Amino acid sequence: FLTVLFTISVVSVVLSTLTTAILAPATMLARNLLRPWVPERVPTLRLCELCVALVSVLGVAVALLGEDAYGILEQVYAIGLVGLLVPFVAAVFCKTHDEGAALASIFSGTAFWAVQFVIETTLPIDLMAAAVGAAVYGAMMLRRGRLASAGQGG
């Protein structure tokens, strides 16, 4: 009986993690990135469904390219570090915000991080990509004259 209970518990945890890993990025993609550019005649629910399919296909591709479960998990968390850390920290600690600078930070950090799939390196590419994202964000904010209030948030 305990073996069956343990197996059901493990399957439940795995399925919960999988649904969260698919639904969270798909919702962010549909509602935050694509919604401004997709016509209003396309319902948000339909857009979310399409993004769920896209994220699922990309997830399967990453799983097939990965070597082991730990390596895949490491890469998934690295995407969050290189793409989302800088805009999140800026949103929390800065009074002024700039959507363009945040998007540029996300794309530049992720693009720099993706270089590791082409060039084999032993350098800490994840931290370097986050630093590139921070530099791009800072440069765009300086160029637009909005960095003066950084650090004064609360």
Side-chain angles (χ1 to χ4, degrees):
F1 174 74
L2 289 176
T3 305
V4 171
L5 186 63
F6 178 75
T7 304
I8 291 172
S9 299
V10 169
V11 168
S12 174
V13 167
V14 168
L15 289 177
S16 174
T17 303
L18 286 173
T19 57
T20 302
I22 291 172
L23 291 176
T27 303
M28 285 181 21
L29 180 66
R31 296 182 64 92
N32 297 341
L33 287 176
L34 297 179
R35 181 79 272 173
W37 290 292
V38 174
E40 286 297 321
R41 61 183 157 81
V42 177
T44 302
L45 180 60
R46 185 68 173 153
L47 189 59
C48 286
E49 290 170 346
L50 294 172
C51 288
V52 164
L54 175 68
V55 169
S56 298
V57 167
L58 291 175
V60 169
V62 168
L64 292 175
L65 294 174
E67 295 136 17
D68 59 359
Y70 178 75
I72 294 170
L73 188 63
E74 185 179 29
Q75 295 303 324
V76 167
Y77 283 125
I79 292 170
L81 170 71
V82 302
L84 302 177
L85 179 69
V86 172
F88 176 76
V89 169
V92 170
F93 293 109
C94 295
K95 280 188 175 182
T96 59
H97 306 103
D98 189 329
E99 182 179 346
L103 288 173
S105 170
I106 290 170
F107 291 128
S108 63
T110 304
F112 189 88
W113 171 79
V115 168
Q116 72 176 327
F117 296 112
V118 178
I119 300 171
E120 193 70 31
T121 181
T122 58
L123 297 172
I125 197 80
D126 304 343
L127 295 175
M128 292 169 59
V132 166
V136 168
Y137 185 88
M140 288 190 72
M141 292 297 280
L142 276 175
R143 194 183 96 206
R144 296 178 182 179
R146 296 184 179 174
L147 200 61
S149 62
Q152 300 172 4

